[in-house]
Amino acid sequence: MRVFLVAGEPSGDRLGGALMEGLKSLVPDIEFDGVGGPLMQAQGLVSRFPMSELSVMGLVEVLPKFFHLKRRIAETAQAVLDTQPDVLITIDSPDFSLRVAKQVKTRSNIRTVHYVAPSVWAWRPKRADKMAKVIDHVLALLPFEPPYMENAGMECDFVGHPVASEPVATDAQIAQFRADHGLGDAPILLALPGSRRGEVDRLAPVFGAALDLYLKDRPDMRVVVPAVAHVADTVAAHVRSWPGQPVVVDPRNIATDQAVASKRAAFAAAEIALAASGTVSLELAAQSTPMVIAYKLTWLTQKIAERMVKLDTVTLVNLVSETRTVPECLLDDCTPEAISAALASVSGAPDAQEQAMAITMERLGRGGEAPGLRAARAVLERMTP
């Protein structure tokens, strides 16, 4: 069996790696091709080009790279057509992935699967109808998503999220992490300003100013900043002026499994986290780390988004748990003052998020079959005549 996979950012690489591991366990002689990051490469994928080329977010931010991305779309679609895999699996990054799927479907009958249902329940509900023209089967991360996809005419299975099956860092691993980075027994604040260069450039100055305010009353607290490989230099440059003697956890030049374990230990060691909006909220919830979410967009992208988004929260922990326990400082509210106040509020009652995080992990599949294996089984079962 031959599978062509396409992922465009670290969260997709995480999903793809778990899916590939599941597929390998069910079909030992499976062959992979496509585009992915270090976790997918660790499962045997030789990426056709660096996945980091696709890590662009925002309507305005895409414009400077439009022609390059257009070439990569055509190149990737042609590779699928040339190799004729049994299935094309695109993972999130819909602006890229679904354009690849469209070109493939226009010129072939290759089966298409998209991993991560579009959030039509939040904005642009018509996306599901358009997607149904090029996608046969959707793998959904959230339990309430399948009806939206099925109503548009696609097969859909809720498979949970791989983060729910990942281990919690042990006391020994946390102690080793502290020792490795010279942190002693100091309380730790985790700062996560994003996985794309543009969002790091927007958020890091705001995060730094917020920490200047917050840490005035916590001079003993250390700041730890786990970085994604392709933005590690950007992160390091920004945090040099931050308070809290920042430690940047750089995954480059170490084995992938070691980098993953180090990041997990950092999350578990933290007393509190300040993070960009995204999948990272689930990673924090998996390690029971209380959090504040903050995010800002470019002015034009923000104005467009304000007209389209129809939810009162963007944080997955809040959505899945059906609570609003994770504070959000978004768009115009993404200010040092608001973020510092939110951090103080969470620090004053860190257990308030505990139940919401536990509910989130349970609903995403913790305690059941590994989501990556569930996703692999769903792909294979839907392919069977």
Side-chain angles (χ1 to χ4, degrees):
M1 180 180 179
R2 290 175 298 165
V3 179
F4 198 107
L5 303 103
V6 179
E9 54 188 317
S11 59
D13 182 47
R14 185 190 196 92
L15 294 169
L19 171 60
M20 291 170 67
E21 183 177 14
L23 287 169
K24 285 164 62 177
S25 72
L26 298 174
V27 186
D29 61 346
I30 197 167
E31 297 177 10
F32 298 118
D33 195 356
V35 180
L39 298 179
M40 293 171 68
Q41 291 170 35
Q43 294 298 325
L45 179 73
V46 178
S47 187
R48 286 180 171 261
F49 55 83
M51 185 191 72
S52 59
E53 291 185 19
L54 309 181
S55 295
V56 183
M57 182 178 181
L59 302 172
V60 176
E61 293 80 353
V62 170
L63 293 178
K65 297 187 176 182
F66 175 77
F67 291 107
H68 178 70
L69 290 172
K70 189 174 180 180
R71 285 194 296 273
R72 285 303 197 195
I73 289 168
E75 175 186 327
T76 305
Q78 188 60 53
V80 177
L81 293 166
D82 290 344
T83 57
Q84 291 290 302
D86 295 289
V87 61
L88 165 64
I89 303 177
T90 54
I91 308 170
D92 210 2
S93 301
D95 290 332
F96 185 88
S97 295
L98 298 184
R99 284 175 169 82
V100 171
K102 181 179 180 180
Q103 292 192 18
V104 169
K105 273 298 187 186
T106 299
R107 299 160 59 191
S108 76
N109 290 317
I110 294 172
R111 181 169 177 79
T112 53
V113 177
H114 190 66
Y115 199 171
V116 182
S119 50
V120 295
W121 34 268
W123 69 306
R124 290 172 58 195
K126 296 293 184 182
R127 281 180 296 165
D129 296 330
K130 293 180 180 179
M131 185 171 158
K133 297 176 182 178
V134 300
I135 295 296
D136 300 308
H137 179 202
V138 179
L139 303 173
L141 302 184
L142 307 178
F144 54 79
E145 292 178 320
Y148 292 96
M149 302 299 103
E150 292 165 348
N151 289 341
M154 293 172 283
E155 299 170 343
C156 186
D157 292 293
F158 164 62
V159 297
H161 197 293
V163 73
S165 64
E166 292 182 354
V168 175
T170 65
D171 290 342
Q173 290 170 328
I174 294 171
Q176 186 62 55
F177 174 82
R178 285 180 170 277
D180 289 345
H181 295 281
L183 294 166
D185 59 357
I188 293 172
L189 182 148
L190 206 66
L192 299 132
S195 60
R196 306 174 186 89
R197 189 165 284 105
E199 63 188 5
V200 172
D201 286 339
R202 286 194 305 277
L203 293 176
V206 182
F207 279 24
L211 295 181
D212 275 330
L213 295 174
Y214 176 68
L215 293 182
K216 285 179 180 177
D217 295 327
R218 298 295 306 272
D220 59 332
M221 183 167 264
R222 296 291 303 278
V223 175
V224 173
V225 192
V228 177
H230 65 271
V231 296
D233 287 335
T234 303
V235 169
H238 276 291
V239 307
R240 289 191 188 108
S241 61
W242 285 11
Q245 299 174 264
V247 172
V248 176
V249 182
D250 189 339
R252 295 174 297 181
N253 302 319
I254 61 174
T256 300
D257 57 347
Q258 183 183 346
V260 171
S262 180
K263 180 179 178 181
R264 189 180 296 134
F267 279 40
E271 176 181 305
I272 190 171
L274 169 60
S277 176
T279 308
V280 70
S281 70
L282 298 181
E283 298 178 63
L284 291 165
Q287 303 298 325
S288 301
T289 307
M291 70 195 86
V292 170
I293 299 298
Y295 206 77
K296 64 188 300 185
L297 299 165
T298 61
W299 181 85
L300 182 55
T301 300
Q302 175 177 330
K303 294 306 175 185
I304 295 171
E306 286 173 343
R307 296 172 64 90
M308 303 173 78
V309 176
K310 55 183 181 180
L311 286 178
D312 66 338
T313 182
V314 299
T315 301
L316 289 171
V317 172
N318 287 343
L319 288 167
V320 176
S321 67
E322 299 177 278
T323 69
R324 297 296 182 265
T325 61
V326 177
E328 296 175 328
C329 301
L330 308 175
L331 306 180
D332 291 338
D333 292 328
C334 185
T335 66
E337 294 77 14
I339 293 170
S340 176
L343 287 169
S345 175
V346 172
S347 293
D351 297 336
Q353 292 180 24
E354 183 176 347
Q355 184 176 8
M357 292 189 288
I359 290 172
T360 298
M361 289 300 104
E362 179 184 355
R363 290 181 178 177
L364 293 184
R366 177 171 280 177
E369 186 176 59
L373 180 58
R374 289 173 64 180
R377 203 183 304 283
V379 169
L380 297 174
E381 288 177 352
R382 294 283 191 177
M383 291 179 66
T384 304

